[in-house]
Amino acid sequence: MEISAEPIRVQSLAQAGLNQVPPQYIQPPQHRPNRPSSSTNIPLINLFGLDPTRRDSVRASIGQACRDWGAFHVTNHGIPASIVDAIKRAGLTFFNDSSVEDKLKYACDPSSSASEGYGSRMLEKDDTVLDWRDYFDHHTLPLRRRNPTRWPHFPADYRQVVSEYSDRIASLAREMLGLASESLGLETRRLEEVVGEFWQNITISYYPPCPQPELTLGLQAHSDFGAITLLVQDEVGGLEVLKDGEWVPVKPLGGDAIVVLLADQTEIMTNGKYRSAQHRALTNSNHARLSVATFHDPAKTVKVSPASELTSASTPPLYREVVYGDYVSSWYTKGPEGKRNIDALLLEP
């Protein structure tokens, strides 16, 4: 959601040559990225082109990563590196080679939460600390939501690139949910059946150089509210995942590598066996950074609760049922604050 009637874009602030960030971007001391980060990395899983003869070992690796991290890299997943590179290139061209006036032609609707288009601010709270980033959000699935005329026409292949990437990444998201289901002893499509038809958004985020990266965040700590997120980042890096109280940098791997982030509805469906990944994005003073996050969510009317196969008298449900649209509204109204929205669904022991 773009709140301000006179949009202020972070890229414009960075280009103005500021020596200090405006106060609305300064994080409170406890949220600033001033602690040493871990030297470990999230798991890397080779999918071997989804070769059926490798499925058992891949399934086991994904199950372990889902239990321990909720985040992992996948490679050899069937999406060519050229397609991954193309969407990053299209995003960089829009942000770097377009005038502010041209970009503002695609500005988000200021009266609608999570509206499609070019923006800088998503939350509805007026008192929230702002993230040091701009973004372009695309509504891509179901197809009835997809209207490429709302997307940039520069570079010339922008709309074609986003559409092709959307279709390919949705197929991979289904494969990931299927393998996660199997790793829990469920039918392959069990989690996907709860989610139903994917509501997919692709958000290209641009993080300009920041004069005081020690005071800011490109994206505050949160877990995603949907089912599963697939993310690619450029070579600059800045994504971190919280693991055992420490922030772990997600080192860029290049090539066809894609980061898989479990989101809150998957944590609910798996009754907490698999945890959604709390993550954040850092800024730096020397280089702009770009990432492409693709969110796969249920429809707003879907009711989500722990899968019955994963609960019993000895293992009761940990979360109460929630209507997904209500969950999203709470997230945008209250703000993420780590994982407080999903924690609010926890049932009393």
Side-chain angles (χ1 to χ4, degrees), residues 40-103:
T40 60
N41 200 4
I42 63 173
L44 168 61
I45 300 174
N46 186 338
L47 298 186
F48 298 104
L50 301 171
D51 179 354
T53 66
R54 304 268 197 160
R55 193 169 184 88
D56 288 350
S57 63
V58 168
R59 179 196 305 118
S61 296
I62 285 179
Q64 190 71 42
C66 289
R67 280 190 297 274
D68 294 346
W69 287 83
F72 49 95
H73 273 115
V74 292
T75 59
N76 293 320
H77 41 65
I79 301 176
S82 60
I83 292 179
V84 175
D85 289 340
I87 195 161
K88 290 189 288 186
R89 183 177 65 250
L92 277 175
T93 299
F94 172 76
F95 283 104
N96 285 338
D97 299 341
S98 307
S99 67
V100 173
E101 291 74 20
D102 282 339
K103 287 198 278 272

Side-chain angles (χ1 to χ4, degrees), residues 22-337:
Q24 63 267 36
Y25 295 92
I26 297 177
Q27 293 288 332
Q30 68 272 23
H31 293 159
R32 294 175 192 171
N34 52 11
R35 294 173 296 179
S37 295
S38 170
S39 60
T40 60
N41 200 4
I42 63 173
L44 168 61
I45 300 174
N46 186 338
L47 298 186
F48 298 104
L50 301 171
D51 179 354
T53 66
R54 304 268 197 160
R55 193 169 184 88
D56 288 350
S57 63
V58 168
R59 179 196 305 118
S61 296
I62 285 179
Q64 190 71 42
C66 289
R67 280 190 297 274
D68 294 346
W69 287 83
F72 49 95
H73 273 115
V74 292
T75 59
N76 293 320
H77 41 65
I79 301 176
S82 60
I83 292 179
V84 175
D85 289 340
I87 195 161
K88 290 189 288 186
R89 183 177 65 250
L92 277 175
T93 299
F94 172 76
F95 283 104
N96 285 338
D97 299 341
S98 307
S99 67
V100 173
E101 291 74 20
D102 282 339
K103 287 198 278 272
L104 287 175
K105 293 175 183 176
Y106 298 97
C108 294
D109 178 358
S111 65
S112 176
S113 177
S115 63
E116 186 170 30
Y118 170 57
S120 292
R121 180 177 180 179
M122 282 190 166
L123 298 178
E124 297 175 7
K125 294 172 61 181
D126 291 331
D127 61 346
T128 188
V129 178
L130 300 182
D131 296 326
W132 191 262
R133 72 153 186 162
D134 295 331
Y135 64 85
F136 200 108
D137 189 42
H138 313 73
H139 294 178
T140 42
L141 290 175
L143 287 176
R144 60 185 178 276
R145 297 174 71 226
R146 184 186 295 180
N147 183 356
T149 64
R150 296 175 180 163
W151 309 340
H153 61 279
F154 39 86
D157 64 348
Y158 187 105
R159 296 169 179 175
Q160 176 185 344
V161 165
V162 172
S163 294
E164 181 175 8
Y165 185 81
S166 164
D167 295 337
R168 299 294 290 266
I169 206 79
S171 294
L172 180 58
R174 291 187 187 94
E175 289 288 349
M176 292 298 95
L177 283 181
L179 285 160
S181 291
E182 290 179 17
S183 69
L184 289 166
L186 304 175
E187 294 292 329
T188 303
R189 297 303 171 197
R190 182 66 173 94
L191 297 181
E192 185 183 343
E193 286 170 357
V194 176
V195 175
E197 184 178 37
F198 274 160
W199 285 63
Q200 182 198 68
N201 283 20
I202 297 177
T203 301
I204 301 179
S205 294
Y206 183 84
Y207 305 89
C210 179
Q212 294 177 295
E214 71 280 4
L215 300 180
T216 61
L217 287 171
L219 199 58
Q220 63 185 287
H222 68 288
S223 55
D224 294 336
F225 47 70
I228 191 168
T229 302
L230 303 185
L231 181 143
V232 298
Q233 58 177 336
D234 64 13
E235 70 283 354
V236 175
L239 176 66
E240 292 189 332
V241 170
L242 189 65
K243 166 70 169 164
D244 298 331
E246 291 189 353
W247 286 103
V248 177
V250 179
K251 300 176 180 66
L253 299 182
D256 72 341
I258 292 175
V259 179
V260 179
L261 298 168
L262 298 188
D264 290 347
Q265 306 313 302
T266 295
E267 179 169 334
I268 295 170
M269 291 186 293
T270 64
N271 202 34
K273 294 182 183 298
Y274 293 168
R275 299 272 290 171
S276 58
Q278 188 175 164
H279 54 285
R280 68 182 185 181
L282 306 188
T283 63
N284 72 84
S285 58
N286 297 317
H287 303 286
R289 172 179 176 263
L290 182 130
S291 68
V292 183
T294 308
F295 306 96
H296 299 88
D297 305 342
K300 297 289 181 64
T301 56
V302 170
K303 296 179 179 179
V304 181
S305 61
S308 59
E309 299 94 322
L310 301 178
T311 64
S312 65
S314 59
T315 310
L318 297 179
Y319 305 94
R320 62 179 174 84
E321 182 180 80
V322 66
V323 176
Y324 181 63
D326 295 342
Y327 191 86
V328 173
S329 295
S330 173
W331 197 98
Y332 277 111
T333 302
K334 297 177 181 177
E337 294 284 334

